[in-house]
Amino acid sequence: MHVELDHIGIAVGDLATALGFLRDALGLAIEDTEEVPAQRVRAHFLPCGEGRTKLELLESTADDSAIGRFLGRRGPGLHHVCFRVADLAAALDELRARGVRLIDEHPRPGAEGALVAFVHPSATHGVLVELKQPRD
Ligand code: CO
């Protein structure tokens, strides 16, 4: 399997406060904001690499969404690391064959028209991993 770092997802409680550091202190800018109603989240993408690497700031739009519960439990901070793959279904088959525990058994729609699937943090040293097959 070949993967490339796509983005790092950070759960934010207060977007303005987060931007105080990321935009004002580090000079990063939000390139794109997308609401993902199925996950009750608003995702803000900030390019921060030579290639296509980004930060993804995740704002919950409902207290009982996955991000809302994460914020309630652990507060703002690192939520997941996302790797780009060419063929997500094949990547999931390969991980399954290795006995890696998955959250998503099948690809599902994510932000930016991509297909995504999450790997369980118990299989990834405690860091939630998202795999993403970009829209062609
Ligand atoms: Co993500």
Side-chain angles (χ1 to χ4, degrees):
M1 189 183 316
H2 174 74
V3 304
E4 285 176 41
L5 181 63
D6 187 87
H7 64 265
I8 295 171
I10 297 173
V12 296
D14 177 352
L15 183 67
T17 303
L19 289 177
F21 172 66
L22 296 167
R23 180 189 59 204
D24 303 339
L26 296 188
L28 300 173
I30 293 178
E31 171 195 72
D32 192 28
T33 292
E34 181 176 344
E35 184 126 7
V36 187
Q39 294 170 47
R40 290 173 298 170
V41 74
R42 199 174 295 119
H44 309 271
F45 291 96
L46 298 82
C48 60
E50 293 292 315
R52 293 184 282 171
T53 311
K54 299 176 183 181
L55 293 185
E56 176 185 34
L57 301 187
L58 296 158
E59 256 190 315
S60 175
T61 58
D63 286 346
D64 62 344
S65 68
I67 293 298
R69 290 196 309 272
F70 177 91
L71 287 166
R73 226 170 35 237
R74 303 172 59 167
L78 177 65
H79 182 261
H80 66 270
V81 173
C82 177
F83 295 106
R84 221 167 19 243
V85 298
D87 183 340
L88 181 54
L92 293 176
D93 284 344
E94 193 175 326
L95 292 174
R96 206 177 289 112
R98 290 174 178 272
V100 173
R101 186 172 170 199
L102 304 174
I103 291 176
D104 297 303
E105 292 291 334
H106 304 286
R108 60 184 171 90
E112 301 180 306
L115 292 172
V116 302
F118 284 87
V119 182
H120 199 279
S122 67
T124 57
H125 305 274
V127 177
L128 180 63
V129 169
E130 176 182 17
L131 298 174
K132 168 181 171 181
Q133 178 184 326
R135 185 175 47 197
D136 296 323

